[in-house]
Amino acid sequence: MNVSRIALVGGIAASTVLILAGTASAHVSVQPQGEAAKGGYATVNFKVPNERDDASTTKVEVNFPTDHPLASVMPQAVPGWDIEVAKSKLAKPLEMHGQKINEAVSKVTWTATGDKDARGIRPGSFQQFPLSIGQLPEDTDQLVFKAIQTYDNKEVVRWIEEQKDGADEPESPAPVLKLTAATAGEHGAGADDKSGADAAAKAADKQTTAASDESSSDTTARVLGIVGIVIGIAGVAFGMLAGRRRTA
């Protein structure tokens, strides 16, 4: 009896922990595809889960940091969603590829389209929203994006709270993109262009070498094939002559 009660209590406790863990982790987040290196460009995914059982997410807004503005933001098309990119004037212009940039992206908004009963992020589902962003700053280790999630029942959830050092995770944390150390070729367009040119040259050399090797292999195969045919014909002829001698 005691064993059964202990098992029941343990099961309830474990279930409670799992439920709480799931709730804590089910928030809007951002992750790079590969790495987000300082001074370079990256493709990132904003992951938006639906936390409601009786409503769908029909609008997602991501606000970009003003202390580290990004001049280049290109969204990837997402079926069933309209995308709007808003820009704002910069108090201090950015320099990018040798040109001064006077405005930067301030917000990207995704709005669900289609039939009312089937649009958006349904209960129990999530959606990823990809963006190509850059040039990433070199004087910070992370970028904080504040997101707003709207449901079709008019409920609005604001993922805007920033994590404080040494404190527990806030109830509605803002998505944070961690930046990695800059690598060779990530400091500006000149280095990127040079890396691209070098890579293209190496690729061309490989293709030329491969073509040469393939041509050489084809020639060798043809020669061996011809030799094989000649040997085969000679063998047949020898066999015929030997047969005639035995008959004679």
Side-chain angles (χ1 to χ4, degrees), residues 198-211:
D198 290 344
K202 291 180 180 179
D205 289 342
K206 288 182 179 179
Q207 290 179 352
T208 302
T209 302

Side-chain angles (χ1 to χ4, degrees), residues 56 114-119 122:
S56 296
D115 184 72
K116 182 178 179 180
D117 296 329
R119 66 179 179 176
R122 308 293 292 173

Side-chain angles (χ1 to χ4, degrees), residues 50-193:
N50 189 325
E51 296 185 306
R52 302 295 178 261
D53 297 328
D54 56 353
S56 296
T57 296
T58 54
K59 187 177 181 180
V60 177
E61 302 168 72
V62 173
N63 293 279
F64 282 68
T66 56
D67 55 343
H68 294 97
L70 300 174
S72 176
V73 176
M74 292 185 294
Q76 180 177 321
V78 180
W81 295 82
D82 282 340
I83 306 172
E84 182 181 353
V85 179
K87 295 183 177 181
S88 60
K89 293 289 184 180
L90 296 175
K92 182 180 179 181
L94 296 174
E95 187 169 338
M96 181 182 244
H97 305 317
Q99 297 182 345
K100 286 188 176 181
I101 307 298
N102 295 313
E103 61 180 13
V105 172
S106 56
K107 182 171 67 173
V108 177
T109 303
W110 293 266
T111 304
T113 60
D115 184 72
K116 182 178 179 180
D117 296 329
R119 66 179 179 176
I121 307 171
R122 308 293 292 173
S125 302
F126 74 90
Q127 177 67 54
Q128 295 196 90
F129 298 95
L131 291 174
S132 173
I133 62 175
Q135 188 170 352
L136 299 176
E138 299 185 54
D139 58 349
T140 184
D141 294 326
Q142 65 181 29
L143 291 176
V144 179
F145 301 86
K146 296 185 177 181
I148 299 175
Q149 181 177 11
T150 303
Y151 289 87
D152 57 8
N153 62 359
K154 307 303 181 182
E155 179 186 3
V156 176
V157 181
R158 302 178 185 277
W159 304 99
I160 61 174
E161 297 180 76
E162 297 188 36
Q163 177 72 50
K164 303 297 183 183
D165 293 339
D168 294 335
E169 183 182 60
E171 184 177 350
S172 300
V176 177
L177 177 65
K178 300 293 185 181
L179 304 182
T180 59
T183 57
E186 294 292 352
H187 297 280
D192 288 340
D193 293 344

